[in-house]
Amino acid sequence: MVFLRKLKPRKGGQNTILFRKKLISIYSHFMNPKIFNSIQSIPAKFVGNQFDTALDSVSIDSRSLQNGSQTLFFALVGVHTDAHIYISYLIENDVRNFVVSHIPEGCEERANFYIVENTLTALQEFAAQYRSLFDFPVIGLTGSNGKTIVKEWLNFLLSPDYNVIRSPKSYNSQVGVPLSVIAINEQHNLGIFEAGISSRFEMNKLQNIIKPTVGVLTNIGSAHDEGFLNLEEKVKEKMSLFQSCEVVIYQFNENITSILSQRQNAFTWSFTNQEADVFIGKKTDREQTELQVCYNKEDFKINIPFQDEASIENAISCLMVLIYFNYDHFTIQNRMKMLYPVEMRLKVKNGINNCSIIDDSYSSDFQSLKIALDFLESQKQSDNKTVILSDIFQSGLYKEELYDKVAELIVSNNISRVIGIGETISEFKDKFQNCVTYKNTAEFISDYDNIDFSNETILVKGARSFEFEEIVWLLEEKTHETVLEINLNAITYNLNFYKAKLKPNVKIMVMVKAFGYGNGGFEIAKLLEHHKVDYLGVAFADEGIALKSLGIQLPIMILNPENTSFNAIIQYQLEPEIYSLKGLKAFLKMAAQKGLQDFPIHIKLDTGMHRLGFEANTIDELIATLKGNQNVNVKSILSHLATSDDLIHKDFAKSQIDLFEKLSSQLISELDIKPIRHILNTSGISNNVDSQYDMVRLGIGLYGVSNDSEEQKKLENVGTLKSIISQIRTIAAGESVGYGRKFIAEKPTKIATIPIGYADGISRGWGNSVGFVTIKNQKATIVGSICMDMLMVDCTEIECKEGDAVIIFGRNPTVSYIAGKLQTIPYEVLTSISQRVKRVFYRE
């Protein structure tokens, strides 16, 4: 086999980062304090009192507990986020070096500032300069699907021979790629970076940062099609990542070949075209796929433990890299058969004894540890935090140095307890406070009953070889095998999608009522608090009390408070919506009795919904009741649109908005107040852009559902309801399935039973051949009546087995599709899912 070149830093320069207009020096030791690199400048004006500052990390997240005196912080500016506003807070927390577009007022002379025109551009230029110091092979991955899986598999296949630096998780964006590249150090000798784009003119920036020498194009699908004029434009944009590559690996396609420049070599594969460099046949059985590989007039076979088309294609991309690197057939065969399903997610699960578990049990490297600890902080459900950690691999650092840095991370993230598993971490046990170690996973499991796990958040992070999934299983609360998986990345994406529609300074309230529309209240509220939304909205006081009791600090508005709940609302510092004179007088009486001063309340106006609220003929009495009262403060005035989702009734919506303007203005004028005004819900954000007032209320859109078909294409699916096949049987023609013999087979039919029913929230109307589930990416029609705890499907045409996964809803079918068939709305489908169905929260 051919071994790649050892890493060799380029010559020239001192151990400095050159910043200032032409050159500004900053002493640095990125990820390796013993080896210093000379980094060329980016254009910047230096303002500060200390030229030379020791740095060991770059950050863009003001919330990270890892920020400190050796952090270089890039204050990125987005559509609705501006990190400059957190600089004063960061200075108070010992951060001293910032890349900014301006120095915030009051921060002058308190830190070092490198002033640039655009901080994102500066980060990208900085990363490109940093990358240019290293001269070793880099694999660049792009495509619509499969990038992260191929990256992780290549890391697994190549790491026995190389010290690999790779993108953590799905760090493939305009921000993620620079952060990935900056993690390189002088011990690395092979890079694997993925690049993802969603629109034109993005890839050249990533190419300049990654500078790949080997290109791999994975599957080209429909993801992010809306950012391009056509498929050809999308392919050309993606292929621009490979402009400096010595070779480009892809499935044979003449259109792609025509895009390559003359200096690039194509290395292609195909199932059907023998003109490809590597011709592949395949034979799939129930357990694995055999690939018959023909390359360079030699034939050999390999087995991979997958049957689905996507995994087979991803595995072939890896195979092509191994062939190109001249690996021998024996090594390829032995390593490829050991490929494993890649879990790309950080999952939050309910644990035993009131614990929550963050499952990151398939990888353990320094960069991904930093990400996991940040995720732990954003999702912690207790101040007690335990980390179960295996030996750490592929850091590019010497052991002593590595575990010094790990110990620093543990301290900065306020971890209460460390449980180390592995020979190496056991050697460095003394670097950690409150730490116990075990030589291997089996030793930990044998001692499990002697360890107390209760009322804490536990991060389980281990390299695959340690089989930490066994630890997760021990710690996880045992429930039945139907789960609702909640994609926290998708929630963040959808939140930012709607934020981008808002005018500057418009606040956002997010509705987490009805258990977060069935998706889980606290976990989503915690994420929203992490993203600094302005308000949360719930329906009833008990929902708000539950969130406050679990530590949510955001202001929470109670939309439907009952008079009997006023005492609890005051006790938990919740903020009631007041919609009637009776309710107002009752609250004012209690407020006076308790001696409250300026307690926040929200006045609801009825402008045409005719559900709750003060009508126009009650406004004078409302004003008279509130005038001069010091016990309460009208924090906001709101109303609700009845037809914001239906443009046929846009005139009615306008009449509501006009009446709201009139009535709210009267209140503001006569009470001499400056409240927040808000009337728009999710559909209103998109359809009534001129009526955003001071705040909007985001509801179902956050969860990936829109009433507009074009907008729906731009949202990401949040919830996927999954189950498994409990049993498969074949029935003869004339035999029936389920209660009442509602389904009678016309021919021999294979029936799968799935452990989910109407007690879990599946409508009985979805049965009897109306609805379907998805098994192995194929539709399986629901036959017979849906039972309380089970439903049955026809899987005659599907190669499946007991234990296989089943999608009840998600991308196919969607909740909107189900709602349409049931003649209801997506809200009802989502909120019907029983709380006995376990929620699993994950981050890609």
Side-chain angles (χ1 to χ4, degrees):
M1 105 183 34
V2 173
F3 287 88
L4 303 185
R5 295 186 297 270
K6 292 288 185 180
L7 177 152
K8 183 179 180 182
R10 295 183 180 179
K11 296 180 181 179
Q14 302 300 314
N15 294 321
T16 57
I17 297 176
L18 304 176
F19 255 90
R20 189 186 186 187
K21 283 188 176 177
K22 297 289 184 179
L23 300 173
I24 284 284
S25 66
I26 309 174
Y27 169 86
S28 175
H29 48 274
F30 285 95
M31 308 310 299
N32 194 329
K34 296 180 180 178
I35 302 175
F36 305 111
N37 299 310
S38 178
I39 301 180
Q40 293 183 353
S41 71
I42 62 171
K45 176 184 177 182
F46 176 78
V47 176
N49 51 24
Q50 190 175 356
F51 257 24
D52 299 321
T53 306
L55 301 171
D56 69 359
S57 65
V58 167
S59 176
I60 62 166
D61 188 351
S62 63
R63 300 158 298 193
S64 176
L65 297 181
Q66 297 162 31
N67 294 323
S69 61
Q70 295 184 320
T71 298
L72 177 63
F73 185 86
F74 283 77
L76 300 187
V77 179
V79 177
H80 273 274
T81 56
D82 185 349
H84 289 79
I85 66 177
Y86 305 115
I87 288 177
S88 180
Y89 162 79
L90 287 165
I91 292 174
E92 292 173 1
N93 284 273
D94 207 28
V95 180
R96 288 292 177 269
N97 296 278
F98 299 90
V99 179
V100 298
S101 58
H102 65 277
I103 301 176
E105 185 177 351
C107 294
E108 303 88 345
E109 300 182 2
R110 297 174 60 196
N112 298 320
F113 296 96
Y114 305 93
I115 305 174
V116 298
E117 185 174 338
N118 182 294
T119 50
L120 175 58
T121 301
L123 175 65
Q124 293 169 339
E125 292 176 352
F126 175 79
Q129 293 291 344
Y130 186 79
R131 162 69 180 93
S132 69
L133 297 174
F134 300 93
D135 185 15
F136 58 84
V138 170
I139 300 171
L141 294 157
T142 193
S144 301
N145 306 297
K147 298 184 294 295
T148 302
I149 292 172
V150 172
K151 179 197 67 185
E152 293 300 323
W153 282 351
L154 284 176
N155 175 66
F156 169 76
L157 293 166
L158 297 171
S159 59
D161 308 309
Y162 308 109
N163 196 345
V164 179
I165 174 69
R166 72 191 193 279
S167 315
K169 296 294 180 184
S170 298
Y171 268 43
N172 58 25
S173 67
Q174 298 292 310
V175 174
V177 168
L179 295 177
S180 300
V181 166
I182 291 168
I184 299 173
N185 67 51
E186 294 201 1
Q187 300 305 313
H188 295 126
N189 57 10
L190 176 66
I192 309 175
F193 298 106
E194 57 176 301
I197 55 171
S198 57
S199 62
R200 293 178 289 173
F201 314 123
E202 290 185 336
M203 189 61 87
N204 278 335
K205 297 175 183 177
L206 301 186
Q207 190 278 333
N208 192 42
I209 298 168
I210 297 174
K211 295 185 178 70
T213 57
V214 175
V216 178
L217 182 67
T218 64
N219 177 273
I220 294 289
S222 59
H224 303 298
D225 274 357
E226 66 277 3
F228 304 92
L229 295 177
N230 50 49
L231 180 61
E232 181 182 4
E233 181 183 69
K234 177 179 176 180
V235 172
K236 284 184 177 179
E237 177 72 16
K238 287 183 178 292
M239 293 291 288
S240 66
L241 175 65
F242 307 137
Q243 56 190 269
S244 62
C245 288
E246 61 194 38
V247 66
V248 181
I249 295 169
Y250 58 94
Q251 186 173 9
F252 184 84
N253 183 304
E254 291 182 350
N255 293 328
I256 293 176
T257 302
S258 67
I259 297 172
L260 293 178
S261 70
Q262 292 183 349
R263 68 177 182 275
Q264 293 171 306
N265 293 318
F267 189 43
T268 63
W269 65 273
S270 179
F271 292 126
T272 58
N273 193 322
Q274 296 194 10
E275 293 182 13
D277 297 295
V278 180
F279 185 72
I280 297 176
K282 62 179 177 177
K283 184 168 62 178
T284 299
D285 60 29
R286 293 174 67 88
E287 301 297 331
Q288 63 182 9
T289 298
E290 180 186 83
L291 299 179
Q292 299 99 35
V293 183
C294 179
Y295 168 60
N296 204 19
K297 298 182 180 181
E298 292 185 3
D299 296 338
F300 64 98
K301 296 178 181 179
I302 64 171
N303 292 319
I304 56 174
F306 305 101
Q307 302 85 37
D308 64 287
E309 292 298 323
S311 295
I312 292 170
E313 288 190 13
N314 292 333
I316 292 172
S317 291
C318 297
L319 166 68
M320 294 292 288
V321 173
L322 295 182
I323 293 174
Y324 181 73
F325 281 9
N326 287 334
Y327 275 80
D328 59 78
H329 298 173
F330 179 77
T331 302
I332 292 174
Q333 290 164 338
N334 280 342
R335 293 189 186 175
M336 293 289 289
K337 71 182 181 182
M338 296 171 63
L339 291 179
Y340 53 90
V342 172
E343 185 56 78
M344 295 184 291
R345 309 161 174 180
L346 285 167
K347 289 185 176 180
V348 183
K349 303 176 177 179
N350 292 329
I352 60 172
N353 304 327
N354 199 34
C355 291
S356 58
I357 313 300
I358 296 176
D359 180 2
D360 193 13
S361 56
Y362 91 102
S363 71
S364 183
D365 59 85
F366 187 69
Q367 283 300 101
S368 66
L369 175 61
K370 295 172 70 175
I371 294 168
L373 287 170
D374 275 340
F375 184 66
L376 167 62
E377 183 61 24
S378 71
Q379 286 295 310
K380 67 178 181 182
Q381 299 185 20
S382 169
D383 288 334
N384 293 322
K385 296 180 288 187
T386 290
V387 173
I388 301 177
L389 184 65
S390 78
D391 288 346
I392 295 176
F393 301 126
Q394 297 172 292
S395 68
L397 302 171
Y398 296 110
K399 290 180 182 179
E400 182 87 24
E401 181 183 351
L402 168 63
Y403 286 96
D404 278 340
K405 286 184 170 291
V406 173
E408 289 174 10
L409 281 181
I410 295 297
V411 170
S412 65
N413 281 271
N414 301 321
I415 301 303
S416 312
R417 173 173 60 165
V418 176
I419 297 175
I421 298 178
E423 297 280 350
T424 306
I425 197 170
S426 295
E427 290 179 30
F428 296 99
K429 173 182 177 180
D430 292 343
K431 292 185 181 293
F432 305 94
Q433 291 185 348
N434 195 18
C435 176
V436 60
T437 60
Y438 300 89
K439 297 298 183 183
N440 51 52
T441 303
E443 187 178 302
F444 166 83
I445 290 174
S446 68
D447 194 41
Y448 172 76
D449 289 337
N450 298 317
I451 310 171
D452 176 42
F453 292 105
S454 60
N455 301 303
E456 58 190 312
T457 302
I458 305 168
L459 170 63
V460 181
K461 183 157 186 60
R464 179 166 177 77
S465 59
F466 284 85
E467 298 180 338
F468 272 15
E469 60 270 20
E470 295 184 29
I471 296 176
V472 173
W473 186 86
L474 285 172
L475 292 171
E476 191 176 0
E477 183 180 52
K478 304 303 183 286
T479 58
H480 69 86
E481 293 174 282
T482 295
V483 299
L484 179 59
E485 291 188 345
I486 310 300
N487 185 336
L488 297 177
N489 291 83
I491 288 180
T492 299
Y493 174 90
N494 295 336
L495 173 67
N496 290 331
F497 173 81
Y498 284 103
K499 275 186 172 183
K501 293 175 175 286
L502 303 183
K503 298 174 183 177
N505 302 318
V506 174
K507 299 178 185 296
I508 189 164
M509 172 187 288
V510 180
M511 311 309 296
V512 292
K513 61 182 180 177
F515 194 51
Y517 289 68
N519 292 287
F522 169 73
E523 292 82 1
I524 291 173
K526 188 71 179 174
L527 179 69
L528 295 171
E529 185 170 62
H530 190 64
H531 286 289
K532 296 180 170 60
V533 303
D534 300 284
Y535 259 91
L536 299 178
V538 299
F540 298 105
D542 57 351
E543 295 175 302
I545 291 169
L547 294 178
K548 286 291 186 181
S549 297
L550 289 168
I552 297 298
Q553 300 297 313
L554 283 175
I556 299 174
M557 178 176 158
I558 311 299
L559 280 76
N560 305 324
E562 298 160 323
N563 291 8
T564 54
S565 68
F566 284 161
N567 188 58
I569 285 173
I570 293 169
Q571 179 183 347
Y572 285 91
Q573 294 294 297
L574 302 170
E575 301 182 15
E577 173 189 287
I578 303 295
Y579 51 80
S580 69
L581 287 167
K582 179 182 177 182
L584 175 60
K585 291 175 180 178
F587 192 83
L588 290 178
K589 180 179 179 181
M590 182 170 291
Q593 290 172 347
K594 292 181 175 292
L596 301 181
Q597 186 76 16
D598 290 331
F599 193 92
I601 64 172
H602 302 263
I603 299 298
K604 176 73 169 286
L605 303 178
D606 182 2
T607 57
M609 182 79 168
H610 296 327
R611 189 172 62 178
L612 293 174
F614 292 94
E615 295 181 286
N617 60 8
T618 62
I619 295 299
D620 289 340
E621 189 173 356
L622 169 63
I623 291 170
T625 306
L626 286 172
K627 206 158 197 174
N629 191 291
Q630 302 297 313
N631 301 119
V632 297
N633 169 34
V634 178
K635 193 68 175 289
S636 83
I637 302 173
L638 67 147
S639 189
H640 194 69
L641 296 179
T643 61
S644 63
D645 60 338
D646 191 345
L647 294 178
I648 294 175
H649 297 292
K650 63 181 180 181
D651 290 340
F652 184 78
K654 185 178 184 306
S655 71
Q656 280 196 266
I657 293 168
D658 290 343
L659 182 56
F660 178 69
E661 172 66 29
K662 176 184 175 182
L663 298 181
S664 61
S665 295
Q666 183 183 353
L667 283 168
I668 290 169
S669 175
E670 297 197 32
L671 292 175
D672 191 23
I673 56 177
K674 295 181 179 179
I676 299 167
R677 290 194 286 179
H678 48 113
I679 191 171
L680 299 186
N681 55 4
T682 295
S683 296
I685 293 171
S686 299
N687 295 334
N688 303 95
V689 294
D690 293 329
S691 303
Q692 292 177 357
Y693 285 98
D694 307 299
M695 185 163 71
V696 298
R697 301 187 300 273
L698 177 60
I700 194 72
L702 182 78
Y703 307 98
V705 178
S706 172
N707 292 299
D708 181 88
S709 59
E710 289 304 311
E711 184 172 272
Q712 181 66 62
K713 296 176 184 177
K714 299 175 183 178
L715 297 177
E716 292 196 357
N717 179 69
V718 168
T720 301
L721 183 59
K722 289 184 175 182
S723 193
I724 64 165
I725 298 175
S726 294
Q727 189 175 37
I728 295 177
R729 62 171 52 78
T730 299
I731 63 173
E735 292 188 314
S736 62
V737 173
Y739 288 115
R741 305 197 72 203
K742 295 294 180 68
F743 174 82
I744 298 178
E746 296 179 355
K747 60 183 180 179
T749 304
K750 187 167 66 172
I751 300 294
T753 299
I754 300 161
I756 184 172
Y758 60 77
D760 300 291
I762 307 302
S763 170
R764 294 185 75 246
W766 189 232
N768 295 312
S769 301
V770 173
F772 68 90
V773 301
T774 301
I775 302 172
K776 299 283 188 180
N777 295 317
Q778 299 176 66
K779 291 183 179 180
T781 302
I782 299 172
V783 295
S785 297
I786 290 176
C787 308
M788 179 180 289
D789 309 299
M790 287 169 279
L791 58 83
M792 289 69 73
V793 301
D794 180 350
C795 62
T796 306
E797 303 300 324
I798 303 174
E799 284 291 330
C800 57
K801 60 184 182 298
E802 292 173 0
D804 280 349
V806 178
I807 305 298
I808 311 300
F809 66 63
R811 289 191 173 92
N812 187 29
T814 66
V815 291
S816 296
Y817 177 86
I818 295 173
K821 288 292 184 181
L822 296 177
Q823 297 186 329
T824 183
I825 56 177
Y827 297 74
E828 183 175 349
V829 177
L830 284 173
T831 58
S832 295
I833 302 305
S834 166
Q835 292 196 35
R836 83 174 188 176
V837 173
K838 179 173 64 174
R839 271 69 173 173
V840 174
F841 299 85
Y842 68 89
R843 177 176 289 175
E844 297 284 3

